[in-house]
Amino acid sequence: MHLWKESQDSIIHRIDTAIAFLNSQLNDWEVMKTERVAFELIIPTLFDLLEKEFGITFKFRDCAALLALNHKKMSMIKDSMIYETQSSCHHTLEAFIGKINFDRLVHLKCQGSFMASPASTAAYLMNASVWDEEAEQYLRRVTSHCEKYGNRGVPTFWPTTIFASSWVICNLLENGFEANKLDKYCLDRIKDMLKRALTIQDGIVGFAEHLLPDADDTAKSLTVLHYLGDSPSVQPLITIFQVDTHFRCYLEERNPSISANCNVLISLLHVSTPEQYTDQIVKVVTFICEKWWTNDGMLTDKWHLSWLYPAMLVSQGLTLLLYRHNDDIPLPSLLDNLIKDKVPIVLFQLIVRILQSQSMETGSWGANGSRQETSYAIIALANLASLPFVESIREQIDVAIARGRAYLQSTSHTNSTEVESKELLWIGNQNAEEIINRLVEFVNLINTHPRIVTASKFDQDQLQLELKSFILAQFKQCEDNMRLEAQTSMISFETPRSSYFRWIHTTAIDHFGTPCVFAFLTCLLSNTHDGRADFFPTSEIKYIVRDCISHISIKSRIYNDYGSLRRDREEKNLNSIFFPEFEGLQNRTDTELKEELMHIDEYESKCLDVSMMELRRIATQKFGTSMGNRLYEVIKLYYNSNTIYQQIYALKDIVTRS
């Protein structure tokens, strides 16, 4: 009883905390500025259930405005939309608890679900008088499908075959990919699925087969088929969804979607004879421009939380419009002030807003450095950069895109590291998170450096590879240290993953960071050398330079291990001398082992001398004495700076002990 009382007190405290939080948030909520699908239906129903079942009530500033929206929406919903045919109401059946007879809905199921919505299907199961095995099996399929994602959540809708396929293919083909270089079998399957769905539903589709059609998915599907060489008719899209000033996404929607209208515009502009649909094109372009002109902040859309999603679609649609118009395609009723004034102004202002909203620190977009929002911004800027009237700020656009791409690349590498870090069970969750955060800061600091983002593409790519190897080598060294620590003796490493030769050429030098530092230096040098050209000009020179850096890196690691042998034994850090290759003769002193390590260093010095001589010979032969000597001197300078540290290590271990 005592345990139960404590648990009950804890629950009451949590409820009180939740109520206080909701009161605080609701008092700041501006209902009339909210753009979220069906919020005016769902939230009032939740309030009603809390009041009826638990006596919890909420009063807040915009409560009357919310109830007015709810009343307006409910007045639009007829019984036939609930009980006779599929409608957008079936997306959110949880909003109708206590208001409808759920037993009358059974014939509107599609493959066990209501509009492929787990929430709606669950609401039906909880409120129907007879348990529905088919609906239960649908929910089991959803949860089983989502188990692999590990967060025990379910999506808003599932499955979304048409939505997922059409959006992905459009994004690929609109941003540099070519259909003939993608998997033909997969493209043919997607093409057949879209054609079949359009045929079955008379030229319009929803986000999955046999579900309620909408303008958004229909427009995207038509665009994909045009990309893949088909010529589907856009007339059903126009007939069903066109209204006086715009296109509706769903027939019963309360307010229009700018993203859906952008997708409609793009679809209309992809037909072979867009002049047939001039009236519709003018209507949609006017709607988009008016939305922009009358918006007092960033664009909002009910289908997406980020303003950058509709911004990306506006940039794609209006840029395509200008190009189709300039291609001498007759669009006679396009008003001059629309095509010559309003559209360019909208696009130019869009560029400015996107540039101004980029993070100065990381190069990302979005409040939390979202990769998705950063991708939207990059795609938008890439479209806008092709326009002739942005020439005066093209350099700023190029730098912004480069910094955004660098951020995406850095977070991609960090994510692969994060996966590995989750497998290192010896790190506590809090420590692991702190390590990952520091890695993100470190990678972003390098990749957004002004001199790095303007280096040649090859030199930037090499830096990315070396940076990834450097980070992963830290984890590999930690794992090796753990295995070493588990041993009863520190004389020899009993479980090496490779030979000493392979280790010293890979993990050892990557962990030490010498190749990564040189890749960073190369990017800095490429800024001072023939614009954005690679600093080392040919594949042969690149190869010899890489060989030189490999020898320099090995020598640096050898001297590090030479100087830190005693510390490494005490702290159980993997050292060259711990490898089985050094066991050979038993019972040798550390002095003898270190002397043997120096013999390997002497060999590396001879190899380095040969490589350096060959670099100088080939570089001067191909590029002349001045250029050849310059390339040679860069490597020589890097070697000399490393030699200073090597000599210091030989005298004294300079690394702080842990």
Side-chain angles (χ1 to χ4, degrees):
M1 290 296 291
H2 178 65
L3 289 175
W4 165 249
K5 185 177 186 302
E6 285 189 350
S7 177
Q8 188 178 39
D9 289 344
S10 174
I11 291 173
I12 292 172
H13 172 71
R14 291 170 185 269
I15 291 172
D16 290 341
T17 303
I19 291 172
F21 172 79
L22 285 172
N23 277 321
S24 171
Q25 295 298 306
L26 289 170
N27 283 327
D28 293 334
W29 185 21
E30 296 183 77
V31 169
M32 299 310 293
K33 291 185 177 180
T34 302
E35 278 281 3
R36 297 292 179 270
V37 176
F39 79 92
E40 73 276 28
L41 292 177
I42 296 173
I43 294 178
T45 298
L46 292 175
F47 287 160
D48 287 344
L49 291 173
L50 286 170
E51 183 174 4
K52 290 176 182 176
E53 296 186 20
F54 304 103
I56 299 172
T57 60
F58 293 96
K59 300 296 181 184
F60 51 97
R61 182 190 60 195
D62 280 3
C63 183
L66 176 63
L67 294 177
L69 286 179
N70 177 261
H71 178 74
K72 179 180 178 181
K73 183 71 174 185
M74 284 294 188
S75 67
M76 297 169 59
I77 299 172
K78 310 302 180 187
D79 279 359
S80 59
M81 295 166 58
I82 298 290
Y83 298 119
E84 295 179 12
T85 60
Q86 276 191 358
S87 73
S88 57
C89 298
H90 299 112
H91 279 306
T92 53
L93 286 178
E94 63 270 32
F96 297 93
I97 295 174
K99 299 179 176 69
I100 64 172
N101 182 352
F102 281 85
D103 289 340
R104 294 175 58 187
L105 303 179
V106 63
H107 65 288
L108 295 173
K109 284 185 303 178
C110 179
Q111 298 177 339
S113 77
F114 289 88
M115 287 296 290
S117 166
S120 280
T121 307
Y124 161 76
L125 266 179
M126 289 188 292
N127 290 277
S129 61
V130 178
W131 190 256
D132 191 314
E133 296 289 342
E134 188 184 19
E136 179 189 349
Q137 288 306 311
Y138 163 76
L139 291 177
R140 290 188 180 278
R141 288 198 304 274
V142 175
T143 54
S144 175
H145 172 78
C146 296
E147 275 182 2
K148 59 188 174 185
Y149 301 113
N151 59 11
R152 300 188 180 185
V154 296
T156 306
F157 305 119
W158 186 87
T160 56
T161 46
I162 290 176
F163 167 82
S165 301
S166 58
W167 255 256
V168 168
I169 297 302
C170 272
N171 284 335
L172 290 175
L173 298 181
E174 287 170 352
N175 293 288
F177 288 84
E178 298 175 21
N180 59 6
K181 294 182 180 179
L182 298 177
D183 188 294
K184 185 177 185 303
Y185 173 73
C186 290
L187 287 181
D188 286 345
R189 287 187 62 191
I190 291 171
K191 182 178 179 179
D192 290 343
M193 176 190 69
L194 296 179
K195 290 176 69 174
R196 180 177 65 249
L198 285 165
T199 300
I200 291 172
Q201 295 187 271
D202 299 322
I204 52 179
V205 293
F207 59 81
E209 293 184 79
H210 308 294
L211 294 184
L212 182 70
D214 63 85
D216 222 5
D217 287 290
T218 300
K220 278 288 190 184
S221 298
L222 295 173
T223 301
V224 169
L225 290 175
H226 281 294
Y227 275 130
L228 299 181
D230 223 50
S231 301
S233 173
V234 296
Q235 193 56 52
L237 170 69
I238 295 170
T239 302
I240 301 299
F241 297 107
Q242 180 181 213
V243 292
D244 291 343
T245 60
H246 60 277
F247 277 70
R248 297 174 294 185
C249 188
Y250 283 101
L251 297 183
E252 309 88 7
E253 72 179 4
R254 178 175 59 85
N255 52 344
S257 161
I258 191 169
S259 66
N261 278 270
C262 287
N263 285 325
V264 169
L265 173 62
I266 292 169
S267 181
L268 294 174
L269 291 171
H270 271 97
V271 301
S272 57
T273 54
E275 63 271 17
Q276 287 184 262
Y277 308 104
T278 302
D279 291 343
Q280 287 76 28
I281 291 172
V282 171
K283 178 179 293 186
V284 176
V285 172
T286 302
F287 170 78
I288 293 170
C289 290
E290 288 303 314
K291 273 285 187 180
W292 180 268
W293 284 94
T294 57
N295 195 289
D296 59 357
M298 302 302 186
L299 288 171
T300 56
D301 189 76
K302 62 184 177 182
W303 295 112
H304 207 286
L305 295 177
S306 172
W307 72 274
L308 285 164
Y309 176 68
M312 174 190 71
L313 292 174
V314 169
S315 74
Q316 290 176 319
L318 296 187
T319 300
L320 181 60
L321 170 74
L322 294 181
Y323 277 109
R324 296 307 302 265
H325 183 64
N326 288 335
D327 286 342
D328 296 326
I329 295 175
L331 298 171
S333 64
L334 276 176
L335 302 176
D336 280 349
N337 73 317
L338 192 62
I339 200 75
K340 293 181 180 179
D341 298 329
K342 279 196 172 183
V343 168
I345 290 173
V346 168
L347 293 177
F348 195 84
Q349 289 180 343
L350 190 57
I351 294 173
V352 173
R353 289 190 188 180
I354 294 174
L355 291 176
Q356 289 177 339
S357 61
Q358 185 177 29
S359 168
M360 295 296 293
E361 182 180 350
T362 66
S364 66
W365 278 268
N368 300 310
S370 163
R371 286 184 295 170
Q372 187 177 154
E373 290 181 273
T374 300
S375 300
Y376 293 150
I378 292 172
I379 291 172
L381 289 176
N383 276 279
L384 297 165
S386 66
L387 296 171
F389 57 77
V390 303
E391 194 63 40
S392 61
I393 58 171
R394 190 176 304 280
E395 184 177 349
Q396 292 96 312
I397 295 174
D398 290 343
V399 170
I401 291 174
R403 294 185 69 227
R405 290 183 63 192
Y407 174 79
L408 292 177
Q409 290 170 339
S410 70
T411 53
S412 174
H413 294 320
T414 303
N415 279 349
S416 65
T417 306
E418 185 173 357
V419 171
E420 292 206 5
S421 74
K422 289 179 180 177
E423 296 173 357
L424 300 176
L425 301 180
W426 51 273
I427 299 180
N429 289 338
Q430 186 173 356
N431 289 338
E433 184 176 352
E434 182 180 352
I435 290 170
I436 295 302
N437 288 338
R438 289 184 180 181
L439 281 176
V440 170
E441 292 176 6
F442 168 69
V443 172
N444 286 341
L445 181 66
I446 291 176
N447 286 333
T448 58
H449 189 288
R451 296 272 296 278
I452 298 301
V453 298
T454 53
S456 77
K457 183 180 184 303
F458 177 84
D459 289 339
Q460 287 189 58
D461 290 345
Q462 292 303 299
L463 175 58
Q464 293 299 317
L465 293 173
E466 294 298 347
L467 189 57
K468 181 178 181 180
S469 296
F470 170 71
I471 292 172
L472 294 179
Q474 310 308 307
F475 289 100
K476 291 178 182 177
Q477 178 83 16
C478 287
E479 290 175 341
D480 288 338
N481 291 348
M482 287 175 60
R483 295 207 304 277
L484 183 67
E485 186 176 9
Q487 297 180 186
T488 56
S489 169
M490 288 296 111
I491 295 176
S492 179
F493 188 27
E494 298 169 358
T495 57
R497 295 193 243 199
S498 68
S499 65
Y500 174 67
F501 179 87
R502 179 175 291 277
W503 178 80
I504 195 69
H505 279 80
T506 54
T507 304
I509 60 175
D510 288 335
H511 172 258
F512 204 61
T514 315
C516 185
V517 172
F518 184 76
F520 184 85
L521 173 63
T522 304
C523 285
L524 299 183
L525 291 170
S526 72
N527 274 269
T528 63
H529 173 72
D530 191 22
R532 295 186 68 170
D534 301 347
F535 183 74
F536 298 105
T538 67
S539 59
E540 184 180 19
I541 295 294
K542 287 181 173 74
Y543 188 89
I544 297 172
V545 166
R546 188 65 184 84
D547 185 54
C548 292
I549 297 305
S550 178
H551 293 305
I552 293 170
S553 302
I554 290 171
K555 285 175 61 63
S556 296
R557 179 66 194 231
I558 285 174
Y559 269 93
N560 171 77
D561 289 0
Y562 178 95
S564 64
L565 178 58
R566 182 178 177 181
R567 173 175 58 87
D568 288 341
R569 286 202 193 281
E570 293 174 358
E571 298 184 357
K572 300 178 176 59
N573 296 319
L574 185 58
N575 185 295
S576 291
I577 289 173
F578 296 167
F579 272 77
E581 284 86 341
F582 288 84
E583 272 190 300
L585 300 172
Q586 297 292 326
N587 301 320
R588 285 182 297 173
T589 65
D590 281 356
T591 301
E592 291 172 325
L593 290 169
K594 290 166 77 172
E595 184 179 348
E596 185 172 342
L597 186 62
M598 284 297 101
H599 291 325
I600 297 175
D601 174 73
E602 290 171 7
Y603 172 80
E604 287 294 332
S605 294
K606 293 174 183 177
C607 293
L608 177 60
D609 289 341
V610 173
S611 297
M612 294 285 286
M613 289 173 59
E614 192 68 2
L615 172 64
R616 190 172 204 168
R617 183 184 69 81
I618 292 176
T620 54
Q621 185 183 76
K622 289 196 171 185
F623 306 108
T625 303
S626 177
M627 179 66 172
N629 283 337
R630 185 185 179 204
L631 296 177
Y632 169 82
E633 290 298 333
V634 167
I635 306 301
K636 186 70 175 176
L637 176 64
Y638 191 66
Y639 170 59
N640 289 340
S641 65
N642 277 270
T643 300
I644 294 173
Y645 281 98
Q646 292 167 16
Q647 296 304 316
I648 294 173
Y649 270 118
L651 295 173
K652 185 177 181 180
D653 180 4
I654 62 173
V655 177
T656 303
R657 298 190 180 206
S658 60

